[in-house]
Amino acid sequence: MDRREAKLKTSYSIAFSGAPLAGKTTLAFSLAGYLRRQGIPAGLVPEAVRSSLYFTAGNLCNALNMEVLALQILAETRERNYNEVVILDRCAYDLIAYFRLRNAADDPWPIDRSAVEQFLHAHSRIYDIVFLCKFPYQLAHDKFRAIENLSSQLIADEIEEVLKRSGRKYFIVPRENAFEFVIQTLTELGLPLPTQIK
């Protein structure tokens, strides 16, 4: 771990990754609330694309990718400065997958895309644990396809491929009893959480 990473590692980072409308936001908010009730300062980084003016306007250009990247890194850094635990509703691995799927041949990147991916892979080393939510609820498919023209399952598969290529360990969240699975996994990995969910 270099000096930059050591400086950033002042908190425990829990990242939720995966398909749209597969329960990431519900899990992230539930976990943040649960930890706060236990007296653990927990920051929450919401999905950056929700703050994007490009996305709100329906403009899915490569400038959207760069805006979301900047919003994501800024929000993560801010929460690490103030909290012992940081919970991410999406993470760098999602950004890499979206960059690949959204890449438009007629909208060239302002900088080398491979350099951006290398940066995101390096940045992701500060995540302590990654949970992959890969099972979108059925109603999610048509809703999200209308927004992005990408199926939820296609996005989930691309994100998992990015995770596999990175070589890092990740945990697939089951569709049933998802929150209980997250708490159990964190407890087994040594995060000081109560063993019983209240």
Side-chain angles (χ1 to χ4, degrees):
M1 181 178 293
D2 61 27
R3 284 190 297 175
R4 174 182 172 276
E5 290 178 55
K7 186 175 180 180
L8 288 171
K9 282 306 300 166
T10 57
S11 58
Y12 192 99
S13 297
I14 302 168
F16 288 96
S17 181
L21 305 170
K24 296 184 308 301
T25 301
T26 299
L27 285 171
F29 275 80
S30 296
L31 181 59
Y34 173 74
L35 293 177
R36 290 165 183 165
R37 288 193 298 275
Q38 311 307 319
I40 300 174
L44 180 65
V45 178
E47 187 173 359
V49 74
R50 298 182 187 201
S51 302
S52 167
L53 296 177
Y54 287 102
F55 190 77
T56 303
N59 187 357
L60 305 181
C61 58
N62 284 327
L64 164 67
N65 295 327
M66 300 306 297
E67 182 188 38
V68 170
L69 185 155
L71 290 169
Q72 180 76 28
I73 301 301
L74 179 63
E76 288 184 26
T77 303
R78 182 179 61 245
E79 292 301 324
R80 283 194 192 93
N81 287 333
Y82 297 105
N83 296 282
E84 292 179 13
V85 178
V86 176
I87 302 161
L88 294 85
D89 178 10
R90 287 213 179 280
C91 64
Y93 296 113
D94 299 69
L95 297 182
I96 294 170
Y98 273 103
F99 287 3
R100 294 177 180 177
L101 291 171
R102 285 197 194 116
N103 188 42
D106 59 347
D107 185 17
W109 278 71
I111 59 175
D112 182 11
R113 192 187 75 176
S114 63
V116 175
E117 290 193 13
Q118 289 175 10
F119 165 76
L120 287 170
H121 275 295
H123 175 77
S124 67
R125 293 199 302 250
I126 63 177
Y127 301 151
D128 293 283
I129 182 169
V130 177
F131 288 104
L132 175 62
C133 301
K134 63 177 293 186
F135 304 113
Y137 294 98
Q138 192 60 42
L139 61 85
H141 292 281
D142 292 337
K143 180 178 179 182
F144 197 78
R145 191 187 296 273
I147 302 172
E148 183 108 50
N149 199 29
L150 296 169
S151 76
S152 296
Q153 197 57 59
L154 175 65
I155 296 167
D157 292 343
E158 183 67 28
I159 292 171
E160 185 165 24
E161 183 62 27
V162 170
L163 282 164
K164 287 178 178 177
R165 288 181 181 177
S166 74
R168 82 163 298 147
K169 186 175 182 180
Y170 59 94
F171 298 84
I172 297 176
V173 178
R175 183 169 288 167
E176 303 297 328
N177 301 315
F179 184 67
E180 289 80 359
F181 172 83
V182 168
I183 294 296
Q184 180 180 352
T185 303
L186 291 173
T187 302
E188 291 174 354
L189 290 174
L191 185 64
L193 300 176
T195 56
Q196 299 297 321
I197 298 176
K198 297 180 181 178

